[in-house]
């Protein structure tokens, strides 16, 4: 019987040290044998954001322990691995270097191929860890650093249809949570507070709602939240502002996803698939509302399991597996890429003076 491919995935682009081993079971799909994630929330909490040097130091301290744990859980031997996939960008340069160098050392000593993975490609493929999805599909990528609508025609074939012109969606959640002083990371906290709040109490703006195609903007929303802070005295006030913020976000996402669906349908009229991925895709209300929209539009919708929305190494291993099957390997002199767009031809759309 042909040996089933085993891929080791390593992720250290930001504040999660993660190692995973996955197995390709052919028609039965991919099996996650281990998926160990160590988050650094406690290290960065008091700063209200990620401190790169502290993050890198923590990755260095933990990476071999996390890798050992991943091997122990998977019951796989180091020498059984077929390839090593590691995030090479985008992300914090000092953090990326830890994981990529670790992967290079393993690749050289085991004489197994190295696969340098784009973190965003990991997110883009992540729902395939729990659902069978065929190319092409429309991707709505919503993370702490990126917010994009992308046509995914095949592995590595990306065309950006729209993007944020300022803050990423996760960043908007995190900044709002920081203003409300309700904890870090902000997304899950906003969601928790929003459940108990009155979503109609604060009227917040929806920048570029009726223009700009499926481009998005969240910076004005953050400024409005800052202004509303003068009315925040009690915990209930915080819940009301969180609920109003989340409701406004939902309205923006529904409108823009509808526009993106219309653009995508012109490119691929027959493949009505929407994949929503990235940390913010863990949000229950966002999942619910986008599902309703897809029902109306006749689209299939796919999300990663909630625990696979935020950063993990199983998604990096999966991107590695798809690349391994196409023999897309990298040399050991591959350098980390702090900036690395999925669609390298897409125009830079940030800052003042952007014309939409
Ligand atoms: O994909 P991810 O883990 O890291 C990046 O690649 O950026 O995304 C992290 C982001 C953070 O901004 C976090 O606040 C947000 O995802 N997030 C959420 C939720 N869980 C995580 N945002 C809204 N609701 C959530 N439940
Ligand atoms: Zn991520």
């Amino acid at each position: 019987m042909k040996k089933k491919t085993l891929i080791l995935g390593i992720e250290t682009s930001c504040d999660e040290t993660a190692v995973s081993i996955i197995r390709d079971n052919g028609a039965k799909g991919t099996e996650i044998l281990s998926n160990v994630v160590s988050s650094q929330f406690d290290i960065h909490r008091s700063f209200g954001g990620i401190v790169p040097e502290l993050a890198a130091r923590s990755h260095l301290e933990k990476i071999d322990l996390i890798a050992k744990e991943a091997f122990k859980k998977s019951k796989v031997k180091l020498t059984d691995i077929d390839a090593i996939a590691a995030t090479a960008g985008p992300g914090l340069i000092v953090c990326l270097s830890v994981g990529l160098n670790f992967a290079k050392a393993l690749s050289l000593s085991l004489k197994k191929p190295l696969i340098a993975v784009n973190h965003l490609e990991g997110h883009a493929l992540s729902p395939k860890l729990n659902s069978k999805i065929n190319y092409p599909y429309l991707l709505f990528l919503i993370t702490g650093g990126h917010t994009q609508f992308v046509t995914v025609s095949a592995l590595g074939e990306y065309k950006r249809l729209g993007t944020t012109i300022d803050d990423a969606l996760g960043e908007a959640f995190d900044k709002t949570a920081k203003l409300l002083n309700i904890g870090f990371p902000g997304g899950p906290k906003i969601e928790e507070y929003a459940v108990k709040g009155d979503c109609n109490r604060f009227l917040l703006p929806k920048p570029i709602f009726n223009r700009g195609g499926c481009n998005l903007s969240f910076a004005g929303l953050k400024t409005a939240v800052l202004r509303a802070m003068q009315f925040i005295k009690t915990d209930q006030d915080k819940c009301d502002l969180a609920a109003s913020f989340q409701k406004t976000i939902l309205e923006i996402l529904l409108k823009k996803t509808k526009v993106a669906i219309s653009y995508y349908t012109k490119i691929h009229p027959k493949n009505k698939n929407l994949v929503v991925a990235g940390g913010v895709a863990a949000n229950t209300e966002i999942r619910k509302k986008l599902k309703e929209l897809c029902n109306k539009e006749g689209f299939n919708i796919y999300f990663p399991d909630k625990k696979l929305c935020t950063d993990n190494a199983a998604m990096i291993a999966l991107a590695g597996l798809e690349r391994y099957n196409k023999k897309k390997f990298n040399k050991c002199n591959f350098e980390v890429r702090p900036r690395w767009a999925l669609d390298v031809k897409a125009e830079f759309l940030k800052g003042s003076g952007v014309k939409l």
Side-chain angles (χ1 to χ4, degrees):
M1 202 174 72
K2 192 176 162 271
K3 177 186 174 302
K4 291 176 178 170
T5 308
L6 288 165
I7 305 286
L8 173 67
I10 297 167
E11 157 63 40
T12 61
S13 65
C14 194
D15 59 341
E16 261 94 24
T17 317
V19 179
S20 168
I21 294 158
I22 64 165
R23 180 164 58 204
D24 184 4
N25 287 337
K28 287 194 185 147
T30 309
E31 188 182 350
I32 302 175
L33 300 182
S34 62
N35 185 26
V36 186
V37 182
S38 168
S39 298
Q40 305 176 356
F41 298 148
D42 295 340
I43 298 174
H44 305 288
R45 184 168 284 129
S46 61
F47 300 95
I50 293 146
V51 185
E53 291 305 326
L54 295 182
R57 195 188 303 168
S58 172
H59 286 311
L60 260 180
E61 281 166 9
K62 282 194 250 171
I63 185 86
D64 49 350
L65 293 174
I66 301 291
K68 266 188 198 147
E69 198 180 327
F71 273 99
K72 197 169 161 207
K73 284 198 170 144
S74 69
K75 302 193 173 66
V76 161
K77 290 204 297 278
L78 194 59
T79 46
D80 291 338
I81 291 295
D82 293 291
I84 299 120
T87 304
L92 299 166
I93 197 162
V94 280
C95 296
L96 290 163
S97 303
V98 177
L100 188 62
N101 286 336
F102 190 79
K104 284 176 180 176
L106 281 177
S107 164
L108 288 170
S109 60
L110 296 170
K111 298 192 175 52
K112 297 288 163 80
L114 171 76
I115 302 167
V117 172
N118 182 322
H119 178 84
L120 306 178
E121 183 165 274
H123 279 301
L125 304 185
S126 60
K128 290 186 174 196
L129 288 164
N130 48 278
S131 311
K132 181 163 169 41
I133 311 167
N134 293 323
Y135 295 112
Y137 56 80
L138 171 63
L139 165 70
F140 187 23
L141 179 69
I142 40 180
T143 73
H146 296 82
T147 303
Q148 298 177 353
F149 290 103
V150 180
T151 295
V152 183
S153 295
L155 176 70
E157 280 181 38
Y158 304 105
K159 183 175 164 43
R160 198 189 72 197
L161 303 175
T163 184
T164 174
I165 58 166
D166 40 58
D167 292 348
L169 184 54
E171 197 179 349
F173 270 92
D174 293 339
K175 284 179 178 170
T176 298
K178 195 171 175 182
L179 287 171
L180 288 172
N181 198 21
I182 57 175
F184 171 84
K189 286 286 170 197
I190 294 278
E191 184 167 18
E192 200 183 305
Y193 274 65
V195 175
K196 298 174 272 175
D198 170 7
C199 65
N200 295 315
R201 174 152 170 219
F202 295 95
L203 188 63
L204 302 172
K206 289 175 266 183
I208 64 166
F209 193 68
N210 289 315
R211 63 189 179 91
C214 60
N215 290 306
L216 307 111
S217 167
F218 302 109
L221 200 54
K222 175 189 63 197
T223 314
V225 168
L226 179 62
R227 265 193 238 114
M229 283 309 292
Q230 60 182 303
F231 305 106
I232 305 301
K233 306 276 185 279
T234 65
D235 231 33
Q236 186 57 49
D237 293 337
K238 290 186 179 185
C239 293
D240 293 347
L241 188 49
S244 304
F245 169 83
Q246 193 171 271
K247 178 192 165 208
T248 312
I249 292 291
L250 287 168
E251 288 171 1
I252 297 171
L253 298 195
L254 281 180
K255 171 80 189 268
K256 295 293 178 175
T257 307
K258 225 171 158 176
V259 178
I261 282 180
S262 74
Y263 290 178
Y264 166 84
T265 309
K266 287 194 186 110
I267 307 171
H268 294 296
K270 292 195 185 123
N271 306 81
K272 299 188 170 203
N273 302 314
L274 173 67
V275 160
V276 186
V280 189
N283 185 287
T284 307
E285 279 301 302
I286 293 179
R287 290 169 93 98
K288 192 172 129 208
K289 288 284 186 296
L290 289 178
K291 261 186 210 158
E292 287 169 9
L293 173 71
C294 282
N295 277 342
K296 273 194 215 141
E297 300 279 333
F299 260 62
N300 304 308
I301 187 161
Y302 303 95
F303 297 95
D305 279 348
K306 281 201 173 181
K307 63 177 185 319
L308 295 171
C309 285
T310 43
D311 289 348
N312 64 84
M315 68 182 194
I316 303 304
L318 180 66
L321 175 62
E322 288 211 11
R323 290 188 166 264
Y324 178 85
N325 288 336
K326 294 200 169 275
K327 298 207 165 28
K328 287 177 182 271
F329 305 144
N330 299 98
K331 297 212 169 78
C332 271
N333 61 359
F334 193 100
E335 288 188 17
V336 295
R337 297 181 179 174
R339 278 176 167 276
W340 189 1
L342 281 179
D343 177 358
V344 286
K345 290 195 192 128
E347 197 188 337
F348 189 68
L349 267 195
K350 271 197 178 168
S352 56
V354 166
K355 290 202 177 57
L356 295 170

